[in-house]
Amino acid sequence: MRALRLCLISVMIVLPGTLQAQDRPLPRATPGAEVRYFTSIDGLMEGNADVILKETRQGKTVTGAVLDVCYPAEKGSSRKDRFVANLAVNGSTLTGKTQSIGDKLPVTVKLTRKPTGDTFEFGGTISVGQKVTDVTSTDNSDLSEAEFNDARTTDDGIVASPKDFTEVSPEAIAVKVKIDAAIDLLKELKGQNVEVLLNSLGVNCEALRAGAQVIDINVDPERAPSLVARLKAMPGVVAAGWSAGMFDMERTIRFPAAQWRDKGKLNRDKLATTISGALEKALDAKPMSAKWNDDTGKLTLTFKRPSKLVPALGLTETIKVTALPGPDRPDESDHIMLWVGVPSISTADETDGPRLGLADDLSAGDGESVETDDSGAVDALAKQFKAQRWDLDKSAWK
């Protein structure tokens, strides 16, 4: 299951027109030439830079070099800027000038290069705008082109047409879009009953170099196929489909859909009532509310029961359980998959009159103690729906 990245970040999408001629690959090396790469030069941008130095060599002589540096645009910011400088080679000296792609700052590179046995040392300065960085980097090893390509091969995790939802999640949509088209795509999603994952808005170094970023979206599984089709037709979209998301197969059950659909759509009221009834018994708690999220299709159920921690105090446990139903495959699905989260339990004094303030040791000041306990929720739902469980060893429903 994908680790949901929920930290608040300061983000800025790189504006249209950021891809420059300097991003074009160099011409093929002349016969007999060898291309080598350095993927780390210490100290650049206070150690926060992602560096690629590409050298073209004839024997041990460097005949050409390109320095590609991606770095935080401002100190402490998640927004990235980048420059790519073609370097002139004069013996052991590498020099060049360019402009940063995002902020259009002048860049000057003055480096010296010294072989030291099987490794290399780099020194000199790199200035970006008014900021000058001193470079002192030792023990740098180089890579062949094949090693470099293997190390940087990545999978965007997008499956355009999954056969079912055992490897990807029915609610998790991902779209790979060219950077200069990302803002327009995001504007189109406003008011569309979807959730865009905040941390997918930031353009990282991999996206800057690829010229495209992956934006993650949560949507009601019932509406996911139509959203994928719309995204595929939008300008600048490279790929769109499903990705890993909330559905953990160990906490997912599968059952026939016929009696839970009304005119082709989920009967939410019937489904919520049945889920709540099964969990009421499993949790030994009184149901308080059942709320559907129209954006994501999630169902949040709330229960209450007396706390057994200190019975004489009359404390109350509030239990919240999130569930998400969805089809078991994108097209012509005749089964429903139901994922249920681990119940979260908070304890508070809800008695009449003066109340005892409670705080968990790890979250003092929150006013309540929070814990988790499965309480047999998945087993109870599987029994209620006469559902299948996932066999992890056989990778099949049982």
Side-chain angles (χ1 to χ4, degrees), residues 247-306:
F247 275 59
D248 175 354
M249 297 307 294
E250 290 190 79
R251 302 195 61 79
T252 300
I253 62 174
R254 178 179 179 263
F255 50 90
Q259 74 178 94
W260 305 101
R261 286 182 179 157
D262 184 10
K263 296 179 180 180
K265 294 186 177 181
L266 282 179
N267 186 328
R268 283 185 167 187
D269 290 339
K270 182 179 180 180
L271 198 59
T273 298
T274 305
I275 294 172
S276 180
L279 293 180
E280 178 182 0
K281 295 177 182 178
L283 300 171
D284 191 19
K286 181 179 179 181
M288 303 302 295
S289 66
K291 296 181 179 179
W292 291 92
N293 184 310
D294 289 332
D295 290 347
T296 64
K298 294 177 188 175
L299 171 65
T300 301
L301 297 154
T302 304
F303 303 84
K304 287 184 183 291
R305 69 187 179 193

Side-chain angles (χ1 to χ4, degrees), residues 38-115:
F38 296 92
T39 57
S40 175
I41 297 179
D42 296 337
L44 290 186
M45 283 63 185
E46 299 177 350
N48 296 315
D50 183 322
V51 181
I52 300 173
L53 175 60
K54 176 182 178 181
E55 291 185 348
T56 303
R57 303 175 189 168
Q58 289 282 353
K60 294 184 178 181
T61 303
V62 178
T63 58
V66 179
L67 181 64
D68 181 334
V69 180
C70 177
Y71 55 94
E74 298 97 12
K75 186 175 182 178
S77 171
S78 62
R79 182 173 71 88
K80 304 295 185 182
D81 201 353
R82 174 182 171 228
F83 68 80
V84 181
N86 291 318
L87 303 180
V89 182
N90 185 7
S92 62
T93 303
L94 309 175
T95 59
K97 292 186 178 183
T98 188
Q99 186 182 70
S100 68
I101 295 173
D103 293 339
K104 310 300 182 186
L105 297 174
V107 177
T108 301
V109 179
K110 297 179 181 179
L111 295 179
T112 59
R113 172 188 180 279
K114 179 183 178 182

Side-chain angles (χ1 to χ4, degrees), residues 207-362:
L208 280 177
R209 290 186 173 120
Q213 68 182 109
V214 175
I215 296 173
D216 296 312
I217 304 167
N218 288 337
V219 65
D220 185 335
E222 296 275 286
R223 293 186 287 109
S226 61
L227 176 61
V228 170
R230 285 175 48 213
L231 290 170
K232 287 180 178 179
M234 288 186 179
V237 170
V238 178
W242 284 264
S243 65
M246 179 173 290
F247 275 59
D248 175 354
M249 297 307 294
E250 290 190 79
R251 302 195 61 79
T252 300
I253 62 174
R254 178 179 179 263
F255 50 90
Q259 74 178 94
W260 305 101
R261 286 182 179 157
D262 184 10
K263 296 179 180 180
K265 294 186 177 181
L266 282 179
N267 186 328
R268 283 185 167 187
D269 290 339
K270 182 179 180 180
L271 198 59
T273 298
T274 305
I275 294 172
S276 180
L279 293 180
E280 178 182 0
K281 295 177 182 178
L283 300 171
D284 191 19
K286 181 179 179 181
M288 303 302 295
S289 66
K291 296 181 179 179
W292 291 92
N293 184 310
D294 289 332
D295 290 347
T296 64
K298 294 177 188 175
L299 171 65
T300 301
L301 297 154
T302 304
F303 303 84
K304 287 184 183 291
R305 69 187 179 193
S307 171
K308 298 179 181 179
L309 182 62
V310 185
L313 292 176
L315 303 178
T316 299
E317 290 182 346
T318 298
I319 307 164
K320 289 189 177 181
V321 183
T322 300
L324 180 61
D328 70 334
R329 58 181 186 266
D331 301 313
E332 299 180 357
S333 172
D334 57 3
H335 281 73
I336 291 173
M337 289 170 56
L338 177 66
W339 170 86
V340 58
V342 177
S344 65
I345 305 171
S346 60
T347 304
D349 185 350
E350 298 181 357
T351 59
D352 295 333
R355 296 180 178 181
L356 181 67
L358 299 174
D360 182 69
D361 290 341
L362 299 178

